[in-house]
Amino acid sequence: MSALPSFEQVRDAAARIAPHARVTPVLRSAALDALAGAELHFKAEHLQRGGAFKFRGACNAVWSLSDAQAARGVVTHSSGNHGNALALAAATRGITAHVVVPEGAVRAKLEAIERAGAILHRCAPTQAAREAMCAEVQRATGAELVHPYADTRVMAGQGTLVLELLQQAPGLDALITPVGGGGLASGVAIAAHAINPALNLFGAEPQGADDAAQSLAHGTRVTTVVPDTVCDGLRALVGERNLDALRTHHVDVITVSDAETIAAMQLLWSELKQVVEVSSATVLAAILKQPQRFAGRRVGVVLTGGNVDLQALPW
């Protein structure tokens, strides 16, 4: 099991990915500030390469490999964004990427993974099936596993967005990210508190996949949650080490319904003029659900991805 990254590893990751990753902008909306009663600074990771923050972690992992290991390629399992990110990152180094994808994944995300040049391996839509297929590919190819969230290199890479955000929007009081497997939330927490230990950290999680919130409440990792949410990017169970980071850094997880999240996504489309995927909108939904937690504060809000299957929308 991978260890949590140090702040030094986050800074090293920032230098490693700098030639390949974008510095994403911070967006503002007076209308959303007024709705929230807070000053919201949206870190636009949906404008990152591959349309999601996950390029940061994948890129750091790929460029951390020795030449000998890189030559054997990389493998992961992913419902979409991490697989796409790893495929794109592998292409920057000219190596092979294998992506295990569960049946039922969003078609637009699978097409993006293929366009990026990865080899797809399909499996049943369970964590056990994903891991078994990954192990099979590893045995056959010698490829390096780059886990979507329980990988030190990935967590360190995700944390690099905080280095940018706190330079772009100095003086933040709070920071909120979506929570799925916890790679982003843990990397962000480690980097944020290394820079400013006084920052209040929040996570936003779907009520239909609230294992992180339950785990924090019960003091032990809850693994019995069967995800039932439209937020396809947040269905993974939070990793054990990731949960440790959330607990250590006192990340307060707010749960939101799918209806609240969809309403927030529509607000982001109409007021911020940005197409973000539903998982990204959980952060705004959480702020609007519990405005008293954020009132009058300067809040960093991480928009994680923009890979929406427009063909699936009910036009």
Side-chain angles (χ1 to χ4, degrees):
M1 186 179 295
S2 294
L4 291 170
S6 65
F7 182 53
E8 184 178 5
Q9 286 173 306
V10 175
R11 286 189 300 189
D12 288 346
R16 193 174 287 119
I17 72 175
H20 311 287
R22 293 176 186 152
V23 175
T24 54
V26 172
L27 307 177
R28 301 292 314 283
S29 164
L32 293 178
D33 284 1
L35 266 179
E39 191 177 300
L40 306 181
H41 297 259
F42 294 94
K43 181 61 169 162
E45 283 296 296
H46 62 296
L47 302 179
Q48 184 54 261
R49 287 185 67 174
F53 75 94
K54 289 180 179 280
F55 181 77
R56 295 175 182 273
C59 188
N60 186 49
V62 162
W63 285 96
S64 296
L65 299 176
S66 68
D67 288 344
Q69 183 56 67
R72 293 192 289 272
V74 288
V75 62
T76 195
H77 58 81
S78 169
S79 61
N81 283 341
H82 175 68
N84 186 31
L86 189 64
L88 289 168
T92 68
R93 197 164 176 180
I95 65 176
T96 301
H98 300 270
V99 181
V100 174
V101 296
E103 295 296 341
V106 174
R107 184 175 56 82
K109 293 184 178 183
L110 298 187
E111 289 173 354
I113 295 170
E114 286 188 300
R115 280 198 306 273
I119 299 168
L120 291 186
H121 304 265
R122 296 180 183 272
C123 71
T126 66
Q127 191 77 7
R130 289 183 182 207
E131 291 170 0
M133 182 67 78
C134 270
E136 190 177 312
V137 173
Q138 280 184 279
R139 281 193 297 271
T141 65
E144 173 82 2
L145 176 64
V146 180
H147 194 277
Y149 52 85
D151 185 304
T152 308
R153 301 162 298 189
V154 168
M155 287 183 269
Q158 318 305 32
T160 62
L161 73 85
V162 172
L163 308 186
E164 294 175 12
L165 175 57
L166 295 183
Q167 284 188 327
Q168 294 165 313
L172 292 181
D173 303 305
L175 186 53
I176 184 167
T177 69
V179 178
L184 172 66
S186 53
V188 162
I190 290 163
H193 274 171
I195 297 170
N196 179 4
L199 264 177
N200 285 141
L201 302 181
F202 294 88
E205 189 175 42
Q207 287 174 357
D210 65 345
D211 57 292
Q214 286 194 39
S215 297
L216 291 169
H218 294 143
T220 186
R221 185 167 176 252
V222 173
T223 58
T224 54
V225 172
V226 178
D228 181 14
T229 174
V230 296
C231 301
D232 61 286
L234 302 179
R235 291 174 185 156
L237 293 176
V238 67
E240 193 170 330
R241 289 289 175 264
N242 309 92
L243 181 64
D244 289 344
L246 301 188
R247 189 180 293 115
T248 298
H249 292 276
H250 306 290
V251 178
D252 194 347
V253 176
I254 298 169
T255 60
V256 288
S257 70
D258 281 355
E260 289 163 340
T261 302
I262 291 167
M265 180 174 68
Q266 291 168 338
L267 276 172
L268 289 165
W269 289 7
S270 64
E271 300 298 341
L272 207 59
K273 310 305 180 192
Q274 299 295 307
V275 176
V276 300
E277 57 195 77
V278 66
S279 297
S280 292
T282 54
V283 286
L284 179 59
I287 292 168
L288 296 178
K289 183 174 185 175
Q290 297 193 10
Q292 72 282 2
R293 312 284 292 278
F294 304 93
R297 308 176 82 188
R298 289 166 56 85
V299 186
V301 186
V302 181
L303 299 177
T304 46
N307 294 316
V308 178
D309 187 356
L310 297 177
Q311 299 305 316
L313 294 175
W315 295 114

